[in-house]
Amino acid sequence: MADSKPNISFIGLGAMGFGMATNLVKRGYQVTGFDVWQPTLERFQAAGGSIATTPAEAVKDKNYCVCMVATAQQAQAVLIEGSNPALPALPKGATLLLCSTVPCGYVQGLEKQLSELGRGDIRLIDSPVSGGAARAADGTLSIMAGGSDDAIEKGRFLLQDMSDPKKLYIVKGGVGAGSNMKMCHQVLAANQILAASEGLGFATHLGLDPHVASQGILKSDAWAWMFENRLPRMLDPEFKPVASALTIILKDTSIITSEARRAGFPTPMTSTAEQVYFSGLGRGYGPDDDSSLIRLYIEGKGKIGPVKGLVESDEGKLALVVGLLKGIYLCSAAESIAFAHRCNLDLDQVFDLCINAAGGSAVLQTVGPEIIKLCRGEQLSTGEGESFEELTQRLQEAVEEAQRLKVPVYLGSQALTLTRLVRQLIPKAAGDVSRAVVAKIWGL
C-alpha cells in the first residue's frame, strides 16, 4: 500500500477477530472496531483501537471493512438486517472482506443481495481464515480468498497483512470459492478432532497408559496435527485450557453436511462425526474444549461387565490403535479431496493448504497425491508402501477388538464399512492396489 494506510473498520472482535484487529493496529492502521460485547470493545480501545457502538458507525467513511463474526446469521444481521447495519453506511466502492466461516451458498447469496439492494459497487471478498487466535494476533493466518480480480487486487494488502506469506491462497472461482476451500479443509479437521478422542479412548480400553500410547502414536505413520494439538487437553483431567469449543467444530460440520446435501454429495465420515458431536452437545459439553469428547469413549470403562480382548502385548495393542486411526484418516482424506473435486477447486492448492494446516496428517501426505491422480483419471501407483488390502485388514482387526471390548469406535466402524464397499468394486485379480482406491466410493 502507499505511504499512508487507509482507515479500517472491523466488525466482530471475538477470539479470532480481536487478534486480527489488534494485529492491524500494531501494523499502523487506524482501526475502528464494533462488537456486541462491551468489555471486548473496552479491551480493544485499551489495545490502541477506536470503537463504535453500531456497525454503521464503525464503517462510516471507511473504504475497507473486515467482518469476522461467528455465523452467517450474525453476518446478515450486522451487514444488512440488524439494527444500524453496515451496508447503508459503507462508502461507494468500498471493499468488504467477509472472513467468517460461512456456507458457500450464503456468501454467493450475499453477493447477489448486494446487487439487488443497489450496492453492486461494493467489492466483496470471500475470505475465511484458519489458524487460531495466536496466529490471528501475529498476522500469520491461513486465508482462502475468492472474489473478482478487481476486489482481490483492492484487498490484497489487507489479506497479506493478516496472513502468513506462504498461506495466502487466492482461490479461482470467484465469491464462494474461498468458503468451499475452507469447508473441504474442515472435513479433515472435523474427522481428525474426533479421531483423536476415538484413538486415545480405544487405547485406554485396551489397557494402555494414554501418556505412553500417545507418544507411540505421534511417532507412527498415524501422526496427525489435530492429535498432537489436542493431546495435552485430552490428558488434562478437566480438558483445559479451552482452546476450541465443541460448538465451533459443530458449526463447521453443519456447513459441510448442509452444503453436501445441496450439492448431492455424500459425506459419510463427516456425517458420522457430526452425530457424535450432537451426542456431546446433548450431554452439555458444548462450551467445553472439543478434546473433552474423549469422555464419550471412556465413560463406559469398567461398567459393561466382563470383557476380554485377544491382543495381549502392548506393542500389539498400539498397532491396533494405529490401524484404527490410519483407516479413519484415509477415508476422511478421500472425502475431503473428492468434495473439493466436486466443488471444482484446484486440488493441488487444496492439498497444499491441508497438509500445511490443521488438517495435516502422515496419511494425507502420502496418499493425498494418489487420490488427486484418481480425481484426474490418471493411473495410480502400485507396489509402494502399505496396500489398500493391508490397511483394510488392520482396520478390521482394530474394529473387531473394539467390539470384543464393547468400545464405541464410530469413525472406525464407518471407515471399515466404506473400505468393504470399495473392495466390492475391485476385481479379484487386481492384486495389491493403492490405498487411494477408497475414493472410488465417492464416484471417482
Side-chain angles (χ1 to χ4, degrees), residues 67-72 75 97-102 126-129 179 251:
C67 182
M68 187 57 192
V69 293
T71 66
L97 282 70
L98 182 58
C99 293
S100 309
T101 298
V102 298
D126 165 34
S127 46
V129 303
S179 288
K251 182 196 77 169

Side-chain angles (χ1 to χ4, degrees), residues 156-384:
R156 187 181 292 273
F157 74 97
L158 263 182
L159 295 168
Q160 290 173 334
D161 279 347
M162 294 189 293
S163 65
D164 183 314
K166 296 179 181 178
K167 295 180 179 179
L168 173 57
Y169 299 91
I170 306 301
V171 188
K172 294 180 181 178
V175 167
S179 288
N180 273 340
M181 189 166 177
K182 172 71 183 287
M183 175 184 68
C184 292
H185 173 271
Q186 293 307 98
V187 169
L188 294 167
N191 281 280
Q192 291 174 13
I193 286 170
L194 186 61
S197 287
E198 187 160 308
L200 203 58
F202 182 36
T204 301
H205 280 271
L206 287 166
L208 295 173
D209 180 330
H211 293 81
V212 175
S214 58
Q215 293 308 306
I217 292 166
L218 291 176
K219 294 173 184 176
S220 76
D221 49 3
W223 173 89
W225 189 94
M226 281 296 187
F227 187 96
E228 185 168 2
N229 179 266
R230 265 51 178 184
L231 180 60
R233 301 191 293 285
M234 283 195 294
L235 294 176
D236 183 89
E238 296 183 353
F239 313 107
K240 290 184 177 179
V242 177
S244 187
L246 169 60
T247 50
I248 295 175
I249 193 60
L250 189 53
K251 182 196 77 169
D252 290 347
T253 62
S254 296
I255 290 173
I256 295 163
T257 56
S258 62
E259 286 291 289
R261 287 190 294 270
R262 192 167 73 96
F265 183 84
T267 52
M269 293 298 295
T270 309
S271 295
T272 298
E274 183 176 48
Q275 295 305 308
V276 181
Y277 289 139
F278 283 147
S279 296
L281 191 68
R283 285 172 164 83
Y285 299 164
D288 298 343
D289 195 83
D290 54 34
S291 64
S292 70
L293 286 178
I294 192 172
R295 288 178 283 187
L296 296 177
Y297 293 93
I298 63 177
E299 62 186 1
K301 192 172 188 295
K303 302 177 183 177
I304 50 179
V307 293
K308 182 174 175 56
L310 294 182
V311 179
E312 297 183 353
S313 72
D314 285 357
E315 182 181 5
K317 291 174 180 178
L318 180 61
L320 289 174
V321 178
V322 168
L324 178 79
L325 290 172
K326 286 167 62 179
I328 294 169
Y329 296 158
L330 173 66
C331 290
S332 60
E335 185 166 291
S336 172
I337 295 173
F339 202 0
H341 181 60
R342 172 66 67 88
C343 293
N344 296 312
L345 296 174
D346 180 331
L347 298 183
D348 292 324
Q349 191 179 49
V350 172
F351 179 73
D352 185 72
L353 164 70
C354 294
I355 206 65
N356 291 301
S361 72
V363 170
L364 178 66
Q365 179 78 58
T366 56
V367 183
E370 287 292 296
I371 298 174
I372 291 172
K373 281 185 181 180
L374 192 64
C375 291
R376 294 170 174 163
E378 299 174 5
Q379 186 70 36
L380 295 180
S381 304
T382 57
E384 297 179 11

Side-chain angles (χ1 to χ4, degrees), residues 146-157:
S148 68
D149 291 344
D150 177 51
I152 294 292
E153 285 311 306
K154 276 287 183 180
R156 187 181 292 273
F157 74 97

